Amino acid sequence: MQDTLARWQFAFVTINHFFFVPVTIGLALLTAMLQTAWYRRGSPEYLRLTRFFGTLLVINVAIGVVTGLVQEFQFGMNWSAYSRLVGNIFGAPLAMEGLAAFFLESTFLGLWLFGWDKLSRRVHLATIWLVFLGTILSAAFIMAANSWMQHPVGYIMVNGKPQLNDVWALFTNPVFVWGYAKVVLAAIVTGATAMLVGDELGVIEARYQPMKIAAAEAQWTTCQPCSFSLFQIGGGNNDQTPTEIIAIPHLLSLLATNHWNGQVQGLTPLNNQYNQQFGPGYYVPDVFIQYWGMRVMAYLALIVTLVGLWGLILARRKRLATSRLFLWCATWVVVLPFLMNTAGWLLTESGRQPWIVQGIMLTKNGLSPSVSTTWLVISLTVFVVLYGTLGTVDLLLMLRYSRKQLEPPPAQEDADASVPAMQY
């Protein structure tokens, strides 16, 4: 019971925090590009857009920081056994994130926010690009820590505990390289480009976490070649013979191995192998979450891509701003990247179970022994209320400032001249 509640609590906090991460990265880049266009062309429209999206960026950063703090504290609250075992490794990238990336991001965001009428245009432009650099560095350090849990590298065992002996191995870990690329691209473009990188990540995961890939297709037996079903009826850990609808031949082999006739190990033989290697147990993750997490992410990415192509066609025909149907659809499509990112994280984290660190520590062994079931229920309830409140505040602020009429600012000709401060 404690294991389940602690996992639910961490999953809830992580998913809610990750709602703000891709928005922050994407808005930081968009704001920096818009301000660069204004700096180079001097058009007041670009300045209006810079301030518009910059305001939304500030709101998301503020709420995102609060939601992220709780996530950090949970390692000591509910996962003290895990923290004691891997703190020598896991703590290093988290410290880098806090001491380097977060301070870089927050410091220059403050300079950007309050420096409109105090800094020259050149210096002020540099601050927003440094904010973007801080956001992607922050994501890099967090992904390095998470990727080590998926595929531990760069360590030696000392007195039964892993100890880091090669910090660069954290950042050359193939799970990190492709996982980080996918996170950044998903935050920026969210669609076809990100899914191309996701294909290579699938190959890496098939190599180091074959159970995750097999669960994503509900593949209980070893196959060669392997098809990929677009849809299925039934399935799950208690249904090993679901009815597949429209199976695409060879596609799973390509996704998992990059070879047309590649072999994919099944869940049953993998579980037998793990029983011999790690001792008796059930090492199969939640197949239902894996199967549908993969498809929700892929299908929504396809929809976003098609809507983007639709908008591109309308833009070329000079009808983008007058197509009421497209504008209505585009308004609702903004929800899809959040669902895609959530499905992707569920696929990644649920697929690692029952391991908290692949091959080193089981999730059930990472819990804090002093935290009772009662306290877990109380803290989970508090977090649900807190994050519900923060999410509501963020939504209301985003709606308020996105609907606020923007006054056209005065054009500035001198590249070294400051610009009047933002008004709220």
Side-chain angles (χ1 to χ4, degrees), residues 46-203:
Y46 283 117
L47 180 56
R48 294 174 61 198
L49 289 171
T50 300
R51 288 177 158 176
F52 174 78
F53 286 107
T55 300
L56 303 184
L57 169 64
V58 172
I59 294 170
N60 273 273
V61 170
I63 303 296
V65 168
V66 178
T67 59
L69 288 175
V70 178
Q71 187 178 26
E72 299 277 356
F73 281 117
Q74 278 206 53
F75 291 116
M77 292 165 50
N78 297 339
W79 304 98
S80 61
Y82 163 79
S83 299
R84 283 193 293 268
L85 179 69
V86 302
N88 291 329
I89 295 178
F90 197 79
L94 292 186
M96 296 178 198
E97 191 272 338
L99 295 175
F102 176 72
F103 277 101
L104 176 68
E105 177 185 350
S106 57
T107 298
F108 284 98
L109 182 63
L111 289 173
W112 181 84
L113 181 62
F114 298 106
W116 283 95
D117 57 346
K118 299 175 177 66
L119 301 174
S120 70
R121 284 174 54 180
R122 288 190 180 93
V123 174
H124 193 258
L125 175 62
T127 62
I128 191 61
W129 278 108
L130 288 170
V131 170
F132 171 65
L133 176 62
T135 64
I136 59 174
L137 282 177
S138 181
F141 292 127
I142 295 300
M143 283 300 299
N146 181 269
S147 298
W148 187 86
M149 297 167 66
Q150 313 285 342
H151 175 51
V153 294
Y155 73 97
I156 57 174
M157 297 299 292
V158 178
N159 298 323
K161 293 184 178 181
Q163 182 172 309
L164 186 65
N165 68 341
D166 184 2
V167 67
W168 294 111
L170 297 178
F171 302 98
T172 56
N173 185 343
V175 176
F176 163 77
V177 171
W178 293 105
Y180 175 59
K182 183 178 181 181
V183 166
V184 173
L185 289 174
I188 297 174
V189 295
T190 319
T193 307
M195 295 309 297
L196 289 172
V197 176
D199 171 61
E200 188 62 31
L201 179 61
V203 176

Side-chain angles (χ1 to χ4, degrees), residues 4 41 113 168 188 199 234 255 283 316 338 418:
T4 302
R41 301 181 184 181
L113 181 62
W168 294 111
I188 297 174
D199 171 61
L255 292 174
Y283 296 92
R316 287 183 172 274
F338 294 96
S418 62

Side-chain angles (χ1 to χ4, degrees), residues 304-351:
V304 170
T305 302
L306 292 176
V307 172
L309 291 174
W310 181 16
L312 179 61
I313 294 172
L314 290 174
R316 287 183 172 274
R317 296 178 178 178
K318 310 297 184 183
R319 293 172 50 197
L320 183 63
T322 58
S323 175
R324 298 185 62 181
L325 178 60
F326 174 80
L327 294 176
W328 181 86
C329 290
T331 301
W332 289 102
V333 164
V334 77
V335 178
L336 300 188
F338 294 96
L339 300 179
M340 288 166 51
N341 290 322
T342 300
W345 271 114
L346 286 173
L347 178 69
T348 299
E349 299 306 304
S350 176

